[in-house]
Amino acid sequence: MSMHTQAQRAPVGLYTPEERTRRDATIWTPVQGILAPVQFVVFLVSLVLVLRYLATGEGYVIATWSIVIKTGVLYVIMVTGAIWEKVVFGQYLLAPAFFWEDVFSFLVIGLHTAYLWALFSGALAPVSLMLLALAAYAAYVINAVQFVLKLRAARLQMARVQEATA
């Protein structure tokens, strides 16, 4: 393989040129761009409602519904994110560029799903349910930071490459 061919196939940042083209062309990129901040707003509202319940004992029903809604939004972003990953990288999850983010996403999904199971099975008392929700939310925040840092690094790398070729 010639050095020219190797350079064409080597990824710059997170994406090879072909992956970047697919990323930019797919509808799933703006879908993710819309869902991520929506999910964050739903998370913030729910967090306030959960903390209010824990502090005052009031608002259990609305806090519970907010967690259920947050979990639903999480499922939607996970499914659409897997589709995005398939379009861009050729596999639904665990593409090398987002491997650790996806692995941690499984923990986030697991904790949110555990909350739903505990809620609907009656396995936990209300305060314990809210504490489980807070654990799920803490994992969500860590995962969101992982994605933001990864995408920021990719933008900085791309800017350096563009600068070097200019």
Side-chain angles (χ1 to χ4, degrees):
M1 184 180 291
S2 74
M3 290 190 54
H4 178 67
T5 304
Q6 286 176 342
Q8 286 177 330
R9 297 182 73 205
V12 175
L14 287 180
Y15 309 99
T16 65
E18 296 82 14
E19 290 165 347
R20 185 173 292 104
T21 299
R22 289 191 299 269
R23 179 204 65 193
D24 294 345
T26 182
I27 186 64
W28 298 109
T29 298
V31 166
Q32 291 300 107
I34 292 166
L35 286 175
V38 166
Q39 180 180 216
F40 190 72
V41 169
V42 171
F43 155 74
L44 288 176
V45 170
S46 184
L47 178 63
V48 168
L49 293 171
V50 168
L51 292 174
R52 175 179 164 248
Y53 171 75
L54 289 171
T56 69
E58 296 179 20
Y60 174 76
V61 172
I62 193 161
T64 298
W65 273 108
S66 73
I67 300 163
V68 170
I69 291 167
K70 163 67 175 76
T71 302
V73 174
L74 176 68
Y75 287 163
V76 169
I77 202 166
M78 184 69 175
V79 168
T80 59
I83 295 168
W84 175 87
E85 212 165 311
K86 173 70 171 165
V87 170
V88 175
F89 298 108
Q91 61 189 75
Y92 283 105
L93 290 168
L94 304 173
F98 287 96
F99 181 84
W100 290 111
E101 291 78 6
D102 287 351
V103 167
F104 207 83
S105 291
F106 293 140
L107 173 65
V108 175
I109 290 284
L111 287 167
H112 281 77
T113 302
Y115 172 86
L116 291 179
W117 174 83
L119 173 67
F120 293 121
S121 71
L124 294 176
V127 170
S128 296
L129 280 168
M130 295 298 157
L131 294 174
L132 178 55
L134 289 179
Y137 286 5
Y140 160 73
V141 168
I142 292 167
N143 197 220
V145 168
Q146 282 181 301
F147 278 104
V148 167
L149 291 175
K150 177 70 64 97
L151 295 174
R152 183 175 183 274
R155 282 191 200 108
L156 291 173
Q157 286 176 337
M158 190 61 192
R160 284 192 297 270
V161 167
Q162 288 173 341
E163 208 174 83
T165 59

